[in-house]
Amino acid sequence: MRRFLLARLVQAGVVAVVVGTLCFVLMRVLPGDAAMRIAAGRYGPDAMIAGAAEKVRQELGLDQPWPVQFLEWLANLVRFDLGHSLVTGAPVIEELKVQLGASLWLAAAALLLSLLIGPAIGIVSGLRPNGWADRLGLAGSVTLRALPPFMLGLILMLVFAIWLGWLPPAGFGSWRELALPSLTLALGLAAVSSRVTREAIATVAKAPYFAFARHKGLPEAAVVRRHGLRNAAIPVVSYLGLQAIYLVEGVVVVESILAYPGIGHALVHAIVERDIPMVQGTALAMGLIFVAVTAGVDAASAWLDPRLRRA
Amino acid sequence: MSIETAFPSADRPRRLSARTIGAALLLALAAFAILGPWLIEADPARQDLGASLAPIGGAYLLGADHYGRSLLARLAHGARLSFGMAFLTMMTAALPGIFFGLVAAWRGGWIERMFELLANIVLALPGLMLVLLLLAFAPGNFGPLYLGLALTLWVEFYRVTRATTATILKQPHIEAAKLLGFGPGYILRNHVVPVIAPLIATLAAFAMATAIIAISTLSAISVGLQPPTPELGSMIVELLPYYAEAPVHVLLPAVLIFLLVLALQLVAQRETR
């Protein structure tokens, strides 16, 4: 158990160094004068631009030699001092606090929704392999997996917001705005988890201990609940670790497409605006969310399967 | 194309049929992507504002977009771009991935540890995040997109090759072959390649599907290839505001992406359930 957590801590460190180094190099190699760009963004391109750029250069320390800047950069990262946004001038950490809340709501809602949809379909399909529910589940899963998340988001937007008019197409505020993006992600996640559950249930249903539980006279519901679910849950939960990748990538895409003001949306905007401190802050936050989800999956696997705890 | 080798000789009629459908679909799409831009004379960038949102079946076979550009030409060029770029990315990821995997399994020691470390560094972040960070260097350019995708995709090839080769090399018949004086080239050709080839073919199809999804997604969220390029993802987003007037026009590029990814995933079906 401790080994898992240590590995995840190391992973978090690697995430910080990779993101920090890439962003620092990015800052150095971008064509054009960063100070000039920032000054133009803040004050508008006019005749006084050169003077304004010089002031910006001094204010942000863009005139020092690069090894000094790099060490300072990493030291700041370790202290969670992420600097100020080059566009709005506000501290990155303040902006992240707002966006992080929005993104965490979205990720949690999507994960929860996918766990309601996927395993339920998987259990129904797995208890009767090759039955009509199984085939329908397979067809749905194959279709959903071939749809990139941005297309799925657009389709759901057309159906629920334009045709049916039940939900707002974009925005943030109540659960109504949360519904579309989280459903998009949940369907993508459930497409895989339903099949994993189906395989797991089918395997468990064939196992000798399952047959024994039936033969000793337990009612069917008790057999499934007591001997089926927990054993079948092991591969499903450990597969969630892989799905964390889909979740984090999906958050970026779906937030951008459905204009949901979270970290993914901010990351894409920061890249377009070349707001490097924001790119760094948002990428770091997304990376750490990814590490946290995987660590959570590790812990859940260890709780479900005592064999892992001894390792 | 190397994907052909993915066909299993085992008799599994249901799986095989899904694969056959996938392969047929893939062949048809590849033909459209390769022959289309060559046979269709229309320039995908030529605008004809008089024919804005021309309906399907008129002067333009598949209609025209809001600038009056031929949709058929744009779809063909978009398919070529997606397909070609996915293939190029897959090859760039597969060749070093397989090579490093073989070297790591063969030599072990510090070489293996170094590659493992490299793979773990790449895997610490979700793939798309790495691509996005590299794209920040030059948004809208082909180079960082290609580099980022290849950088994230090689790991899977490396890991599978290394793990499989390492198990093969430990088996007694390999030791016997070595004792009989057969060199590494012979062992590689006759004992390693036949086992890893189908796995690699499956991975290659998945890698291409991942690349196609990533390319279209990134241009749809406006950090990938930029609008004048006939790219399927950006075509969808460009045409979406005209959905009310021309719904089928929006659907065409979407269906093309869907079919491309579907064909690749069907071809990549695993034999075992």
Side-chain angles (χ1 to χ4, degrees), chain B residues 31-190:
Chain B
F32 179 61
I34 295 165
L35 298 179
W38 191 53
L39 290 177
I40 299 160
E41 307 241 308
D43 180 357
R46 206 183 69 83
Q47 301 187 359
D48 173 9
L49 295 177
S52 177
L53 295 177
I56 288 171
Y60 293 89
L61 198 56
L62 286 183
D65 70 359
H66 48 296
Y67 291 125
R69 295 174 292 195
S70 159
L71 260 185
L72 181 61
R74 287 181 73 72
L75 286 174
H77 281 264
R80 182 174 70 175
L81 181 73
S82 283
F83 213 85
M85 208 163 143
F87 188 72
L88 188 69
T89 320
M90 182 272 288
M91 289 305 278
T92 317
L95 292 180
I98 296 167
F99 178 71
F100 294 159
L102 287 175
V103 170
W106 199 280
R107 300 299 295 267
W110 66 269
I111 295 182
E112 188 177 7
R113 280 203 294 279
M114 193 188 73
F115 282 129
E116 282 297 295
L117 182 71
L118 212 59
N120 280 332
I121 289 176
V122 172
L123 287 184
L125 273 175
L128 195 74
M129 300 291 295
L130 202 62
V131 178
L132 274 174
L133 279 175
L134 287 177
L135 262 177
F137 282 84
N141 275 13
F142 171 81
L145 183 59
Y146 161 70
L147 195 74
L149 281 173
L151 195 64
T152 49
L153 289 174
W154 75 272
V155 178
E156 203 59 30
F157 287 99
Y158 161 76
R159 296 205 133 184
V160 170
T161 310
R162 189 195 64 83
T164 319
T165 312
T167 6
I168 299 168
L169 291 181
K170 267 190 229 128
Q171 285 168 6
H173 65 274
I174 302 294
E175 204 172 332
K178 274 186 189 162
L179 287 175
L180 284 170
F182 288 113
Y186 177 87
I187 292 174
L188 185 70
R189 252 194 330 276
N190 290 288

